[in-house]
Amino acid sequence: MMKKINRLVVLIVVILLAMTNLAYAQPIPKQNIQYGPKISELKNKQDIIKNFQDIKTIRTNIATINIRENSTNEQLIAVNTSIRNYINEYQQVIRNLEEHKRTYSDSISDVFFSDQISFIAQSFVISLRHQQNLIRALQGTEEESKRLFYSSYLIPVYYYLTLGDQMIAYIDNYFTLPD
C-alpha cells in the first residue's frame, strides 16, 4: 500500500511538472522612448541647466552643516555664517531664474522650467531658515532645542530638505530636455 501511495505522489509531481507552462523573463530591448514631460523650445537651455547644476552643488555642500546640542556659542555663530552664505548663494540662483523668466517671458517652457528649479532653491532656503531658528534656540538655551533629534525644530528642516531632493530627482529622472 505504501508503494502505491509513493508511486501516486511521484506520478502527480511528474504530471504537474510536465503540464505547467513555465514563464521565463524576457529581456526588454532598450527602446529610445523618453518618458515624463518634455520641455521643448527652451530659448536659453545652457543658462537654466547651469542654475540647476549650481543648486545641486550648493546642496552637496549643505550636507556639511554640523549642529549639535552641545555646540559652543562660537561654533553656532560659525555655522550660522555658513548657513547665511548658502542662503545668499541660493538667492542668487533664484534671482538668475527670475531674470531668465523676465527675459524669456514669451516662452512657456522657459518660464515653467525656471519655476520648477526656483521651487527647489526655495525649498532649500526654507530648510536653511529653519536651521537658523534652531541655532537661535540653542543660543537662547531653549530646553526643547537641546533634545535635538526629538525636537520639533528638525522636522521642518528635513521636510524641506527632502522636498528639494525629491524635486531634483524628479527633474533628473523624468524631465526630457531637448539637445
Side-chain angles (χ1 to χ4, degrees), residues 17-167:
L17 288 175
M19 291 182 61
T20 58
N21 188 4
L22 296 177
Y24 295 99
Q26 298 274 332
I28 298 172
K30 184 167 181 159
Q31 299 171 354
N32 205 6
I33 298 172
Q34 297 173 331
Y35 50 93
K38 181 172 172 103
I39 303 296
S40 58
E41 301 173 13
L42 285 174
K43 297 201 175 176
N44 191 354
K45 177 183 168 188
Q46 294 78 17
D47 183 44
I48 252 181
I49 297 298
K50 181 193 174 302
N51 284 308
F52 186 51
Q53 294 303 326
D54 288 347
I55 287 173
K56 288 180 183 180
T57 303
I58 299 166
R59 169 61 182 102
T60 303
N61 294 333
I62 287 178
T64 61
I65 294 175
N66 189 7
I67 302 172
R68 297 184 185 168
E69 64 269 358
N70 57 358
S71 296
T72 65
N73 197 38
E74 293 78 24
Q75 291 171 327
L76 292 173
I77 290 171
V79 169
N80 194 33
T81 302
S82 296
I83 290 173
R84 249 186 276 126
N85 292 335
Y86 292 137
I87 289 172
N88 289 337
E89 290 177 36
Y90 276 127
Q91 287 176 335
Q92 180 60 45
V93 170
I94 292 169
R95 282 191 294 274
N96 292 345
L97 291 167
E98 290 299 320
E99 180 61 34
H100 184 88
K101 282 174 28 179
R102 276 192 296 279
T103 304
Y104 301 105
S105 61
D106 58 332
S107 168
I108 296 290
S109 295
D110 283 272
V111 172
F112 172 70
F113 202 51
S114 294
D115 283 339
Q116 292 282 319
I117 296 171
S118 182
F119 176 80
I120 296 168
Q122 290 169 353
S123 295
F124 290 142
V125 167
I126 293 170
S127 175
L128 291 167
R129 296 274 188 219
H130 279 290
Q131 290 179 50
Q132 286 181 319
N133 285 339
L134 173 61
I135 289 172
R136 284 187 194 92
L138 286 169
Q139 287 173 330
T141 63
E142 192 171 311
E143 202 52 43
E144 184 186 359
S145 66
K146 295 291 184 188
R147 299 178 297 125
L148 214 99
F149 190 72
Y150 299 103
S151 75
S152 62
Y153 286 96
L154 290 182
I155 294 168
V157 167
Y158 289 124
Y159 173 77
Y160 286 104
L161 202 59
T162 303
L163 184 63
D165 289 342
Q166 287 174 342
M167 281 301 296

Side-chain angles (χ1 to χ4, degrees), residues 1-8:
M1 179 74 173
M2 194 64 160
K3 274 185 158 181
K4 286 184 179 183
I5 293 175
N6 284 342
R7 284 183 190 165
L8 180 63

